């Protein structure tokens, strides 16, 4: 990113946590499968790829963007090695995907 662009990204993403739209779980599952997310992120099939359904924290546009920021380069490299391309998601697809992933959250009970 060029100087100042990260501020723009954060400025856009920060309010998203307060105005986050709910999507459709069934459409989100189709996005998860059709975009190839399940190939690496379901049941930890790929080394280093977290099981996206195995979390206790809610996914938001901010948390997903942060995860891609941290792990995107490694993901892109692996996709290239496998002859695959980075999945392109429309805003509505991302909303549905987040809603689907949040439907799989595991309840954490304090001990």
């Amino acid at each position: 990113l060029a100087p100042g662009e990260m501020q723009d990204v954060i400025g856009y993403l920060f309010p998203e946590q307060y105005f986050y739209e709910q999507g459709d779980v069934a459409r989100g599952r189709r996005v998860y499968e059709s975009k190839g997310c399940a190939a690496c992120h379901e049941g930890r099939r790929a080394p280093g790829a977290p099981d996206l359904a195995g979390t206790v924290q809610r996914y938001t546009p901010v948390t997903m963007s942060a995860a891609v920021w941290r792990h995107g380069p490694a993901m892109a490299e692996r996709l290239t090695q496998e002859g695959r391309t980075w999945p392109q998601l429309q805003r509505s697809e991302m909303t549905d995907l987040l809603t689907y992933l949040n439907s799989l959250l595991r309840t954490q009970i304090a001990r």
Side-chain angles (χ1 to χ4, degrees):
L1 293 174
E5 287 183 331
M6 181 51 91
Q7 291 172 330
D8 293 340
V9 171
I10 291 170
Y12 170 76
L13 291 175
F14 185 75
E16 287 290 309
Q17 65 187 324
Y18 301 108
F19 304 110
Y20 174 61
E21 300 172 31
Q22 289 297 309
D24 180 84
V25 173
R27 285 192 314 252
R29 180 169 180 78
R30 286 192 297 274
V31 169
Y32 181 74
E33 293 170 350
S34 69
K35 299 292 183 174
C37 306
C40 296
H41 290 286
E42 190 169 287
R44 301 184 67 95
R45 293 181 184 170
D51 183 353
L52 295 179
T55 187
V56 295
Q57 294 183 339
R58 185 170 167 73
Y59 291 100
T60 68
V62 174
T63 60
M64 191 63 77
S65 297
V68 172
W69 179 262
R70 287 189 310 271
H71 306 292
M75 290 171 58
E77 183 177 327
R78 181 168 182 105
L79 288 169
T80 299
Q81 290 171 350
E82 295 175 358
R84 297 168 48 200
T85 59
W86 190 273
Q88 300 294 310
L89 291 137
Q90 301 299 316
R91 181 183 178 118
S92 62
E93 291 175 319
M94 181 57 82
T95 300
D96 292 335
L97 176 61
L98 294 175
T99 300
Y100 168 66
L101 292 174
N102 286 329
S103 76
L104 303 174
L105 291 177
R106 295 185 181 162
T107 303
Q108 186 176 24
I109 300 173
R111 294 179 186 214

